[in-house]
Amino acid sequence: MKFRLSGKPLLAVSMSAAVLAGCVSSAAIVPQPRAQQPAAVRGPSGSVTVPIGQPVRSQMPRPAGPVDPGFRRAPAGLNDRIYELWRAFPGKTGIAVQRIDGEWALAQRGPDLFPQQSVSKLWVTLSVLDAVDQGRMSMDQRVRIGPEDLTLFHQPLAARVRSEGPVTMSVRDLIETAITHSDNTANDSLLRTVGGPSAVRAFVAKKDLGSIRFGPGERLLQAGTAGLTWQQSYSVGRNFETARAALSAATRQAAMNNYLANPVDGASPAAIASALTRLARGTLLSPESTEYLQGVMSRTRSGPRRLKAGLPPGWQFMHKTGTGQNLGGMTAGYNDIGIATAPDGTRYAIVVMMGSTTAGIPARMALMQSVSSAVAEYHGR
């Protein structure tokens, strides 16, 4: 006669920087040794019944509860803290926080579209690295940058082009310059090389990143936001600012309002937090490209007093900032997005985007610091 042992699997979850799941058998029904079992009983018809005795519970100890209670739910109080910070800040603001090594996310105005400005440089670099992963581009590929490729606003690369004439740079160096220095010319050169805005939009769609738009490139985006039609002469000196100042106040205001109402480079905080989570988990790029990009983002020099400044010692932060044009004290797009890593290795995607606000720059930075500080304060609860 054969006997079947039955058990009930229990799932034990232990959380730290990584998630380990395993099955253990508990409450297993174990038959008594045959020598201790009652004797067989023969029935009237000649059939034999062999009793197996009373079941005996296994002595395996029950697994302890989750080490990290913040894996499946946001720490109690964090959502309220984020809400109060969001509610008290003037203007249209979006905040999103997602635990990368967990199962929860929270947001205020999470689905709404906000101007990205230089945050969109991240999607250009992701598109380039995806092309590298597929063998369509090389990190050592050389790219020519001439005077006709210069853009506007922050572009340290422009000084080199003007002094040396056309220069060539590797894709690797352009990524470093575009992300860590937020150089507009370096970014537009990568954009041109990967195939233009349509290539970036195709990447966003292929990876199903959700509510993330990509605009027409730096020159057309900034010209349109100001109410101008782009001319290459605007890349020289302060020609752009001079042309913009010559516009009527009504023209500038109308252009700004149109941009804010329907930003061509708009993205939602929730979608960006999800994309950062997928990047950190390694599901957007190859392992090599994932590690490389996170290293580059950790060297970002812009925005040292934004989200990064709110994290306590021992935390690490990799990020990308974005800042739009100013009109009458109101900035169209003041952003910081990134990945914060606690000393124990737990990671959070943090996104703060300001679509329009009249608050001064110190107040904007203080809000960002308060958000990242709250994440750190509630970590582990």
Side-chain angles (χ1 to χ4, degrees):
M1 176 177 290
K2 295 183 180 179
F3 303 98
R4 181 180 301 275
L5 302 183
S6 64
K8 182 179 181 181
L10 296 178
L11 184 63
V13 182
S14 175
M15 291 299 147
S16 59
V19 182
L20 301 179
C23 288
V24 299
S25 176
S26 67
I29 306 301
V30 182
Q32 295 179 0
R34 184 172 296 274
Q36 299 177 9
Q37 293 177 2
V41 178
R42 184 178 298 277
S45 62
S47 63
V48 177
T49 301
V50 181
I52 64 174
Q54 294 297 316
V56 179
R57 297 281 178 178
S58 74
Q59 299 304 308
M60 182 175 293
R62 292 181 178 274
V67 174
D68 181 2
F71 175 71
R72 288 196 172 91
R73 55 154 181 83
L78 177 59
N79 190 61
D80 291 342
R81 174 74 65 83
I82 296 297
Y83 170 76
E84 289 301 324
L85 292 170
W86 171 83
R87 184 181 63 85
F89 194 79
K92 180 182 177 181
T93 305
I95 301 173
V97 179
Q98 182 166 347
R99 174 151 171 172
I100 292 170
D101 309 296
E103 299 177 349
W104 60 263
L106 56 86
Q108 296 297 329
R109 301 198 80 153
D112 292 3
L113 292 178
F114 289 80
Q116 294 185 76
Q117 296 296 319
S118 286
V119 164
S120 65
K121 289 181 170 69
L122 178 60
W123 318 125
V124 176
T125 294
L126 281 166
S127 301
V128 169
L129 291 175
D130 182 62
V132 171
D133 289 342
Q134 296 180 28
R136 295 187 288 107
M137 290 180 61
S138 165
M139 295 293 282
D140 297 320
Q141 182 176 332
R142 308 296 292 180
V143 179
R144 178 188 181 279
I145 303 104
E148 70 279 7
D149 301 313
L150 300 182
T151 58
L152 72 170
F153 297 151
H154 191 68
Q155 48 173 346
L157 186 54
R160 182 181 170 192
V161 172
R162 293 190 183 107
S163 64
E164 301 177 19
V167 300
T168 59
M169 295 178 64
S170 68
V171 166
R172 187 189 316 275
D173 289 341
L174 285 172
I175 290 175
E176 184 81 20
T177 304
I179 297 296
T180 66
H181 294 273
S182 205
D183 188 302
N184 291 333
T185 291
N187 186 69
D188 268 17
S189 297
L190 287 170
L191 177 60
R192 181 178 69 254
T193 304
V194 79
S198 61
V200 179
R201 293 169 192 146
F203 171 82
V204 170
K206 179 180 72 171
K207 296 297 183 177
D208 194 22
L209 297 186
S211 298
I212 295 175
R213 294 176 176 177
F214 188 79
E218 197 68 28
R219 292 176 284 192
L220 297 181
L221 172 67
Q222 300 302 342
T225 302
L228 293 168
T229 300
W230 175 256
Q231 300 177 28
Q232 190 57 35
S233 61
Y234 291 161
S235 68
V236 179
R238 295 188 60 81
N239 287 352
F240 181 85
E241 289 82 352
T242 300
R244 184 178 63 183
L247 295 172
S248 68
T251 298
R252 286 207 60 194
Q253 191 65 62
M256 180 69 78
N257 291 344
N258 289 338
Y259 172 61
L260 291 174
N262 189 24
V264 294
D265 66 334
S268 75
I272 292 178
S274 176
L276 289 172
T277 295
R278 291 175 61 188
L279 170 64
R281 288 177 176 175
T283 60
L284 291 183
L285 301 171
S286 69
E288 295 77 13
S289 292
T290 298
E291 181 179 5
Y292 166 75
L293 178 53
Q294 291 185 95
V296 173
M297 292 175 67
S298 71
R299 297 188 289 275
T300 293
R301 299 186 182 184
S302 60
R305 302 298 302 168
R306 300 190 189 187
L307 287 172
K308 185 176 184 179
L311 295 171
W315 283 67
Q316 299 176 351
F317 193 56
M318 56 188 75
H319 65 131
K320 185 69 197 78
T321 59
T323 305
Q325 296 182 53
N326 184 285
L327 179 61
M330 190 270 302
T331 301
Y334 193 87
N335 314 314
D336 199 7
I337 70 164
I339 297 168
T341 304
D344 65 4
T346 304
R347 300 171 295 176
Y348 299 90
I350 308 177
V351 176
V352 178
M353 306 182 78
M354 301 176 188
S356 60
T357 181
T358 55
I361 291 178
R364 301 174 199 174
M365 293 190 295
L367 172 65
M368 292 182 171
Q369 293 168 24
S370 296
V371 170
S372 56
S373 177
V375 173
E377 178 185 345
Y378 283 87
H379 169 63
R381 293 190 183 183

